[in-house]
Amino acid sequence: MKLSVLTYMAWGASVTVMLAAAVILLSSVLGMGLALTRLYAWPPLRVLAAGYALITRGIPLLVLLIGCYFSLPYLGITLPVYAAAIVVMGFYFAAYMGEVFRGALMAVPRTQWDAGRSVGFRGLQNFSIVILPQARRLCVAPFLNTSLSVVKNTSLISAIGGWELFSTGREIGERTGELMPAYLGVAAGYYLICFPLARLASYLERHSHA
């Protein structure tokens, strides 16, 4: 590939990284809210949070992206492509992040609550000082694995007119007529983005109980 083509793909990759980072941040915040709601909130709210997670994970992300982006204007809501993609993907992956955080919190033994109370911690203090650090260690590896899915699914925003790494490869392939090299370059780009996360997740999975 020529240097200009590689530079163009590098720009596309940078957009992918920024999009993924924004989605991961938003879905993490929303996911933690879902996890806390399912575990500690008023029972009707727990049911709503559980229903949201179940329904969201049962619908393909592409359907939600296209449906929301092209339906919202009928409700008087018009969002730029990237803002819409971040919001939709953020709420979508919140269902997955919520399960990651909920599983980690549930994995902390109930006796740890008692241990915290025995040294004088109560309520939120007990949760933040005793429970949360242990849950954070347990959830890092699955959190990174879910983040990998976020990175790879940014390619779907091309369906609503977004431009990122996959769109870059498609444009190059259509202009040059060399589709195979272009898509191989796209695959290599995603691999280079995901490889550090995958390696870190594998390392943490091996050493999480060390």
Side-chain angles (χ1 to χ4, degrees), residues 34-152:
L34 278 174
L36 295 176
T37 299
R38 293 192 64 180
L39 290 173
Y40 308 119
W42 186 44
L45 291 179
R46 296 185 193 183
V47 173
L48 289 175
Y52 174 84
L54 180 64
I55 293 172
T56 302
R57 288 183 297 150
I59 301 175
L61 175 57
L62 183 61
V63 174
L64 289 176
L65 271 173
I66 294 175
C68 291
Y69 182 71
F70 291 106
S71 297
L72 286 177
Y74 292 101
L75 302 176
I77 303 173
T78 302
L79 293 175
V81 170
Y82 294 108
I86 291 169
V87 170
V88 173
M89 292 184 67
F91 276 87
Y92 178 82
F93 279 101
Y96 293 88
M97 292 296 192
E99 292 302 292
V100 169
F101 298 145
R102 186 173 71 95
L105 289 167
M106 292 178 65
V108 178
R110 293 295 303 177
T111 53
Q112 293 300 304
W113 288 94
D114 298 330
R117 283 190 288 267
S118 69
V119 296
F121 296 144
R122 293 290 183 271
L124 183 60
Q125 185 184 32
N126 196 5
F127 177 79
S128 60
I129 295 177
V130 179
I131 305 302
L132 192 58
Q134 298 182 65
R136 183 169 58 241
R137 179 177 61 85
L138 293 170
C139 79
V140 170
F143 171 83
L144 290 173
N145 283 322
T146 304
S147 298
L148 289 172
S149 295
V150 173
V151 173
K152 290 180 285 188

Side-chain angles (χ1 to χ4, degrees), residues 186-209:
V186 170
Y190 279 111
Y191 179 80
L192 291 174
I193 295 171
C194 293
F195 180 76
L197 289 175
R199 292 294 297 171
L200 181 58
S202 297
Y203 174 83
L204 292 172
E205 286 174 345
R206 292 195 304 269
H207 294 83
S208 61
H209 300 293

